[in-house]
Amino acid sequence: MIERISEQRCFGGVQGYYRHQSRVTGLPMRFSVFHPPSESHERVPVLIWLAGLTCTEETFMIKAGAQRLAAECGIMLVAPDTSPRGTGIAGATGDWEFGEGAGFWLDAEKAPWSAHFRMESYLLDELLPLVFDQFNDDHDRLGIFGHSMGGHGALTLAFRHPGRFRSVSAFAPISSPCRCPWGRKAFSAYLGDDAADWARHDAAELIRARGAPLFDDILVDQGSDDKFLHDQLLPRELESACRDAGQPLTLRMQPGYDHSYYFIQSFIEDHLRFHRRALAAG
């Protein structure tokens, strides 16, 4: 059962915020949905946004400026929170790089995190079926994109679940978390110390191991002045892996842009149009 927190008119559609009790995480979870005007009379494609470290279900909807074009394109936008909240786990709060607000879009396998931090199963097995059941959307036309930690999540979930998503793109994704401090910190706690377990949630390692393309193209935008570019994000690792696998990748280095939502605002239209083409009926 979905609890409506709020709904406001927005570009002819509705911006909604919702809450439900999750059987997967064992805690209340929040998510947001932009309902385009066309949803009132036809089933619409769905585009999932996965946000980055410290973000919530509100961040993208408030900061990205995506609703105007989503209304024009007839695309439903869905943004889940980035982790369970109020877990009561020692060390789950107080560190912006890890814990609550930093679920890394995977299912933790090590206690105590495995009790609640199950974001992959939550998104795919609970939230999406709930959205498909409650709203007038087309589950066969599903795309995914995200930013930073959420860009990592978008890429890895698209690679881990072939055929589930028609399209994938990312802004400044953590392209190879096995090789960066953010990833190593999260993976060692959530998954343990076995590097083979880490590779199952690393976009570069996943597509390289597959050795074959999954999508006609993947769009990635990365700011050249992003302070996390060289030690955390590592887009060239993704570029190299896609080249090895024969996976088409459009990696655009954007001069002068940083890691912020001003960067996302600047190129969000390109991403929505990219997904609209892939999510067209048929």
Side-chain angles (χ1 to χ4, degrees):
M1 181 68 67
I2 292 177
E3 175 190 354
R4 182 178 65 185
I5 298 171
S6 66
E7 290 182 336
Q8 288 86 29
R9 294 290 290 174
C10 183
F11 290 103
V14 174
Q15 176 60 58
Y17 295 92
Y18 308 95
R19 176 170 45 223
H20 71 110
Q21 180 64 37
S22 169
R23 59 175 173 77
V24 173
T25 69
L27 292 165
M29 297 294 294
R30 295 165 64 115
F31 66 98
S32 60
V33 178
F34 174 69
H35 304 270
S38 54
E39 187 189 346
S40 65
H41 59 270
E42 65 181 7
R43 294 172 70 203
V44 296
V46 179
L47 185 54
I48 307 298
W49 173 265
L50 303 184
L53 295 166
T54 76
C55 294
T56 72
E57 76 286 349
E58 294 182 313
T59 312
F60 175 77
M61 298 301 187
I62 293 171
K63 292 185 174 183
Q67 289 94 335
R68 177 190 60 79
L69 193 64
E72 175 189 319
C73 293
I75 294 175
M76 177 184 290
L77 301 173
V78 178
D81 199 356
T82 53
S83 79
R85 306 283 175 169
T87 62
I89 297 173
T93 60
D95 183 348
W96 69 272
E97 297 179 335
F98 177 74
E100 294 186 22
F104 270 81
W105 305 107
L106 53 75
D107 289 355
E109 299 176 359
K110 298 297 182 181
W113 311 101
S114 55
H116 301 297
F117 281 72
R118 305 185 64 229
M119 294 304 292
E120 180 173 6
S121 292
Y122 168 69
L123 176 65
L124 298 181
D125 299 336
E126 185 171 25
L127 180 59
L128 286 179
L130 187 65
V131 167
F132 295 148
D133 179 66
Q134 294 290 315
F135 304 126
N136 192 26
D137 48 56
D138 185 350
H139 66 269
D140 291 324
R141 293 189 288 157
L142 177 64
I144 191 166
F145 67 155
H147 172 230
S148 194
M149 178 187 72
H152 141 78
L155 292 167
T156 57
L157 293 179
F159 295 164
R160 281 170 58 80
H161 301 275
R164 189 71 183 268
F165 302 96
R166 280 200 191 182
S167 56
V168 60
S169 74
F171 292 85
I174 304 173
S175 294
S176 187
C178 289
R179 297 176 174 86
C180 77
W182 281 341
R184 290 193 294 266
K185 182 177 185 176
F187 285 5
S188 61
Y190 294 150
L191 303 175
D193 296 326
D194 189 339
D197 293 332
W198 296 7
R200 293 187 288 108
H201 299 278
D202 182 299
E205 293 302 313
L206 283 166
I207 195 64
R208 182 177 285 114
R210 182 175 181 82
L214 281 167
F215 297 92
D216 291 340
D217 193 16
I218 297 170
L219 175 60
V220 172
D221 276 309
Q222 172 64 62
S224 68
D225 285 8
D226 189 324
K227 66 181 180 180
F228 303 117
L229 172 59
H230 299 294
D231 60 342
Q232 302 281 15
L233 305 177
L234 311 178
R236 299 304 179 191
E237 293 291 340
L238 178 65
E239 183 178 48
S240 173
C242 285
R243 183 170 57 248
D244 292 346
Q247 169 60 59
L249 171 69
T250 300
L251 173 60
R252 307 193 305 185
M253 299 299 298
Q254 302 293 358
Y257 284 89
D258 62 12
H259 200 67
S260 72
Y261 266 81
Y262 296 112
F263 160 59
I264 294 170
Q265 288 176 22
S266 301
F267 302 102
I268 192 67
E269 180 170 349
D270 292 350
H271 284 250
L272 287 174
R273 294 196 185 281
F274 172 85
H275 287 279
R276 181 179 67 171
R277 290 190 295 272
L279 300 177

